[in-house]
Amino acid sequence: LTSLAPTAREVTPWLCASGVARGAHAITQPQVLVVGTRVEALWDEDLKWYVGTIQQDFENGSFQVLWDDPDGGPEQSSCRAKDIKVISLAYQPGDPVQAKFLEDGRWYNATVRSKRESCFEVSWDDPDGGPETSLCRPEDMKKVVVIKDYEPGDRVEAMFDEERTWYTGVVEERLASDSFLVRWDAPDGGPETSLCRARYMKQISIFRDYQIGDRVDAKFPGTEEMLPAVVAQLHRDGSFQVRWQDVSKGPETSRQLAEDMKGIYRDYAIGDRVEALFPESWEWQTGIVRHDLGNGAFEIRWDDQSHGLESSMSTPEEMSLIQEDSYDDMDWYADLYDDDEE
């Protein structure tokens, strides 16, 4: 199966280490938690998700979960309902999914072919010399939904199949229910148009509602480098005047288009490794996102608790995501202000 390290211009769409592939969004289903239900649950000690079975309902919003593979840890733990996800069994032939390829333990894009007694047969989008199909347990699968409502004229990023690389373009024509003709912005000697599958397309959404005081990264004049800045003025034509954080490289302020700006990363999830400003000292410390507190705030459990504080609240302006490995950059949530992800 294909496993390529991504660059700024290249994303491996078949390998999904920490999210979902471009063009596909993970589905969260309404769930009923009862004794015997197969689930994934968050273990509080390391804030990672593990497979298990509900053994008891404490009737106070928490459940006893028996782990499939304790691996030296406790055989069962008490978990809160919000930290439990039911493992879906409702896959049908033709459903697009992510599935774990057991030989390397990584997640790849696939399509359900058939249901067996206790598992499903899936066909891999890109076997790349490996088996074209595999049998997968429900706990090794994740259902996704593919966006298919593109219209001619839509600005998109899409995968050029011959290079397995993503480029920008414009939808020119719908060719089938899940495929489109895309005209590339910069063919660079290649074809001007290509047939692209909806699963490997993403509509380009540009956030334009920046306000004075917003912290952003913006394209520095005369370069392609994205540097930190603060929005200082809103212009009537929709552009923005930004004040650069480091004025040693050139002008103190510059006029910027929304297309050349990115806001602060806000799509943190429970278990994300982060650096955040520690209260009182206001120094950067590492920790793990423990809770989403709502209203844009998160509870961080600190790695170093020698200061007497186990956890505290942080906001995205005070946080930075730690990329654990080279695959994290493949995450679908790269457009920092794209609110239509869920």
Side-chain angles (χ1 to χ4, degrees):
L1 294 175
T2 301
S3 174
L4 303 175
T7 66
R9 291 284 297 169
E10 180 175 350
V11 177
T12 308
W14 300 281
L15 177 57
C16 310
S18 60
V20 292
R22 292 173 177 260
H25 299 266
I27 295 176
T28 301
Q29 301 283 4
Q31 57 183 12
V32 177
L33 302 177
V34 296
V35 173
T37 302
R38 296 283 293 154
V39 298
E40 280 187 300
L42 191 73
W43 190 39
D44 194 60
E45 292 298 316
D46 63 4
L47 297 182
K48 293 182 179 180
W49 294 87
Y50 298 99
V51 175
T53 304
I54 292 179
Q55 291 292 98
Q56 183 178 353
D57 181 352
F58 293 120
E59 299 184 353
N60 62 358
S62 62
F63 299 81
Q64 192 77 0
V65 175
L66 178 68
W67 304 112
D68 281 10
D69 183 13
D71 193 26
E75 294 188 357
Q76 49 191 329
S77 302
S78 175
C79 302
R80 295 172 303 173
K82 71 177 185 178
D83 293 336
I84 297 175
K85 298 185 291 188
V86 173
I87 294 172
S88 175
L89 301 176
Y91 298 109
Q92 301 295 328
D95 282 348
V97 296
Q98 298 166 5
K100 184 186 291 185
F101 186 56
L102 295 182
E103 290 189 17
D104 62 13
R106 293 178 178 168
W107 293 82
Y108 298 88
N109 281 356
T111 302
V112 176
R113 292 191 61 178
S114 62
K115 182 177 181 179
R116 304 296 177 89
E117 183 175 347
S118 59
C119 61
F120 295 85
E121 182 184 18
V122 303
S123 58
W124 303 108
D125 280 18
D126 180 48
D128 194 35
E132 294 187 358
T133 65
S134 296
L135 296 179
C136 296
R137 303 176 302 169
E139 50 263 46
D140 294 328
M141 299 168 61
K142 299 176 184 178
K143 186 176 290 188
V144 297
V145 60
V146 175
I147 306 301
K148 299 181 180 180
D149 59 351
Y150 299 106
E151 300 289 343
D154 283 349
R155 295 276 302 152
V156 296
E157 275 188 290
M159 189 190 71
F160 181 47
D161 270 337
E162 293 182 18
E163 298 178 1
R164 301 175 184 172
T165 304
W166 289 78
Y167 297 104
T168 58
V170 177
V171 174
E172 192 161 279
E173 182 181 355
R174 177 189 287 271
L175 300 178
S177 63
D178 64 349
S179 61
F180 300 82
L181 186 67
V182 173
R183 180 169 295 278
W184 304 111
D185 288 346
D188 194 26
E192 294 187 355
T193 62
S194 297
L195 174 67
C196 298
R197 292 173 290 169
R199 186 163 190 173
Y200 298 107
M201 296 171 59
K202 177 195 178 300
Q203 189 160 14
I204 296 175
S205 299
I206 300 172
F207 184 80
R208 300 182 183 277
D209 194 24
Y210 296 107
Q211 301 299 316
I212 292 174
D214 283 351
R215 292 171 57 191
V216 297
D217 286 335
K219 190 178 293 185
F220 196 75
T223 74
E224 295 296 315
E225 190 175 8
M226 300 293 287
L227 296 178
V230 175
V231 176
Q233 184 180 355
L234 313 180
H235 296 297
R236 291 184 177 180
D237 63 358
S239 62
F240 303 87
Q241 199 73 18
V242 303
R243 187 178 305 278
W244 299 104
Q245 179 175 305
D246 182 2
V247 298
S248 64
K249 295 187 176 182
E252 182 177 346
T253 69
S254 301
R255 198 175 186 122
Q256 297 285 317
L257 299 176
E259 291 86 343
D260 296 328
M261 299 165 58
K262 287 185 178 180
I264 296 168
Y265 186 87
R266 298 181 185 274
D267 295 320
Y268 294 100
I270 293 173
D272 280 348
R273 296 277 303 153
V274 298
E275 281 189 305
L277 288 175
F278 191 78
E280 300 177 1
S281 70
W282 290 105
E283 295 180 350
W284 289 93
Q285 302 282 349
T286 58
I288 299 176
V289 176
R290 181 64 187 91
H291 297 302
D292 182 344
L293 301 176
N295 298 317
F298 301 87
E299 180 186 346
I300 308 300
R301 188 172 73 182
W302 303 106
D303 291 343
D304 181 2
Q305 298 175 10
S306 62
H307 302 285
L309 191 60
E310 180 179 343
S311 65
S312 62
M313 186 192 78
S314 293
T315 62
E317 289 80 5
E318 304 162 350
M319 299 163 58
S320 176
L321 185 67
I322 295 175
Q323 304 290 355
E324 294 287 2
D325 54 51
S326 62
Y327 298 112
D328 285 348
D329 289 336
M330 287 174 241
D331 203 287
W332 172 245
Y333 310 108
D335 294 320
L336 305 182
Y337 274 93
D338 189 355
D339 293 329
D340 62 0
E341 65 185 24
E342 297 287 343

